[in-house]
Amino acid sequence: MGIKIITDSTSYIPAEYIEKFDIQVVSLNVFMDNESFRELDLDNKTFYTKMDALSEIPKSSQPVPDEMLNSFKNIVENGDSILGIFLSSNMSGTYSSANLIKNMILEDYPNADINIIDSKTNCMQMGFAVIEAARLAIDGKSMDEVIDRTNKVLSNSKFLFSPDTLDYLKKGGRIGSASALLGSILQIKPILTVTDGTTSVFTKVRTRKKAIDKLVSTFFEEIDKKGLGDVIVHHINCEDEGIQLASYLEKIKYYCQNPVYRTCDRSSCWPWKYWYSFLHKHRLKNKSLRKISKAFYILSLFIYCHQLSFQIYMQQHIIRTLILIKLKLLKL
């Protein structure tokens, strides 16, 4: 008996991770132009081509009950426990549906172990939590351990995104036509995030270039506070730009986790290295002089260690600065 992880299609987990960690995904549905599509069956290009031809934004709906019911039932009948991690209950009824399905399953299988988490987010902020949960499940961790770690990943991550156009916000009724027109003229680019389960404005900047700069600078601020784990760059029909940004973030991630330590040369290590050699060679007989010499040796060693730490910090800071400067030179 193991733990199986199930989530929904808004996690956008790459296919290789779904297969590797045996994650089950139920699909939300998209209704547009009098047709209904499973989100998992739609690619970005097709979706946005169809949407651009519409005057109204498409509507989404939660997974078909039978699809979720069958997924849950197959896991329980196999003798496994279920941990479902779904998009924010403030964004969709999927979380509520999962709880209804849970209660239906428990009527037929009263001993089934089913746990449902409201991620209070979506996309790969939820996806990272799902992957971590699946990884721990494969490692044989208990349900309590998996749930605890999942919640920690959710609380210790951040999701930032910036739409290139205000058209879809206007179609969805988020902003009025006048605001959309003025925003387009002034090249206003909102940077959005998810707070307490709902989409909110993180900040607003002018021009796409400044939006990307702000995303990167916020990235630095967050890793300074919480450290650096995994990073993913979402894109919608701008894969080349996404790859370009991801490559720079990957360099930052490498240097933050693999600092380059300088080898000790004479100029940087002589105070402690050669003073120690002096002490060893001359074996000072005067106790007071020997104490002073050892104190100087310890002080020199401390100064060297501090110098080395400062060098490492400066290397990382310079690398970050250079990458930022290079980013600003790009026409993103």
Side-chain angles (χ1 to χ4, degrees):
M1 179 177 176
I3 299 173
K4 296 298 181 182
I5 310 301
I6 185 168
T7 188
D8 63 71
S9 55
T10 66
S11 59
Y12 303 115
I13 300 172
E16 59 267 28
Y17 288 96
I18 292 174
E19 182 177 353
K20 178 179 179 180
F21 295 109
D22 192 23
I23 299 166
Q24 295 203 31
V25 182
V26 293
S27 182
L28 270 74
N29 298 284
V30 179
F31 186 78
M32 58 180 175
D33 199 22
N34 297 318
E35 289 185 83
S36 181
F37 304 87
R38 293 178 76 249
E39 185 181 22
L40 289 175
D41 298 335
L42 273 176
D43 61 83
N44 274 346
K45 185 176 181 181
T46 301
F47 175 74
Y48 281 96
T49 299
K50 286 179 173 291
M51 187 167 69
D52 286 341
L54 302 175
S55 58
E56 295 182 356
I57 201 165
K59 303 254 189 306
S60 63
S61 63
Q62 54 196 282
V64 173
D66 282 349
E67 180 178 352
M68 188 178 289
L69 177 63
N70 290 333
S71 296
F72 276 48
K73 191 173 181 180
N74 289 338
I75 294 173
V76 169
E77 287 180 344
N78 195 47
D80 295 318
S81 299
I82 296 175
L83 177 58
I85 306 170
F86 299 102
L87 82 155
S88 171
S89 59
N90 290 326
M91 298 178 180
S92 167
T94 303
Y95 171 74
S96 296
S97 292
N99 279 291
L100 289 174
I101 297 296
K102 170 185 173 179
N103 293 331
M104 291 173 62
I105 294 291
L106 289 175
E107 289 179 2
D108 295 329
Y109 303 89
N111 295 322
D113 182 18
I114 305 173
N115 298 268
I116 310 295
I117 291 178
D118 179 357
S119 72
K120 296 184 179 180
T121 186
N122 62 356
C123 295
M124 273 299 291
Q125 184 176 19
M126 177 172 72
F128 278 131
V130 171
I131 291 170
E132 183 67 10
R135 183 183 289 118
L136 292 177
I138 289 174
D139 289 343
K141 301 298 182 182
S142 69
M143 180 64 81
D144 288 342
E145 289 175 310
V146 176
I147 291 174
D148 181 63
R149 180 59 184 165
T150 299
N151 287 325
K152 285 181 179 177
V153 171
L154 288 169
S155 63
N156 200 44
S157 58
K158 196 174 190 70
F159 176 34
L160 292 171
F161 56 105
S162 181
D164 187 40
T165 174
L166 300 178
D167 290 346
Y168 303 128
L169 293 177
K170 184 186 77 171
K171 286 183 178 180
R174 303 277 181 170
I175 59 175
S177 298
S179 296
L181 178 60
L182 182 61
S184 298
I185 293 173
L186 297 178
Q187 298 187 64
I188 292 175
K189 306 295 180 184
I191 296 177
L192 309 175
T193 188
V194 179
T195 306
D196 296 327
T198 60
T199 302
S200 60
V201 177
F202 180 73
T203 188
K204 296 177 184 178
V205 295
R206 290 187 61 192
T207 76
R208 180 171 174 77
K209 178 179 173 298
K210 288 182 180 178
I212 293 174
D213 287 347
K214 183 60 179 177
L215 291 175
V216 174
S217 65
T218 303
F219 170 78
F220 285 142
E221 292 168 6
E222 289 296 317
I223 62 175
D224 285 340
K225 293 177 186 175
K226 301 179 179 179
L228 181 60
D230 295 312
V231 183
I232 193 163
V233 176
H234 284 286
H235 78 88
I236 296 176
N237 291 339
C238 54
E239 185 175 9
D240 291 341
E241 293 180 24
I243 291 173
Q244 194 174 37
L245 178 57
S247 67
Y248 282 108
L249 295 181
E250 182 63 29
K251 291 176 184 177
I252 295 168
K253 178 176 165 67
Y254 173 82
Y255 284 112
C256 286
Q257 295 184 341
N258 301 277
V260 181
Y261 293 87
R262 281 186 55 185
T263 55
C264 179
D265 58 24
R266 292 173 68 94
S267 62
S268 64
C269 69
W270 73 266
W272 65 271
K273 179 179 178 182
Y274 291 102
W275 191 259
Y276 177 79
S277 298
F278 175 81
L279 286 175
H280 182 74
K281 180 179 180 180
H282 295 284
R283 298 179 184 276
L284 297 179
K285 295 180 180 180
N286 185 292
K287 288 185 179 180
S288 297
L289 183 59
R290 190 159 63 242
K291 287 181 180 180
I292 294 172
S293 300
K294 286 183 177 179
F296 181 77
Y297 160 66
I298 293 171
L299 178 62
S300 300
L301 180 59
F302 172 78
I303 292 172
Y304 168 70
C305 291
H306 180 74
Q307 178 190 17
L308 181 61
S309 298
F310 181 73
Q311 288 171 351
I312 294 169
Y313 168 78
M314 285 304 295
Q315 282 178 327
Q316 293 182 359
H317 179 72
I318 289 170
I319 288 166
R320 293 178 181 183
T321 303
L322 287 174
I323 291 174
L324 268 178
I325 291 172
K326 196 166 185 181
L327 253 176
K328 289 183 178 181
L329 293 176
L330 294 174
K331 295 181 179 179
L332 293 177

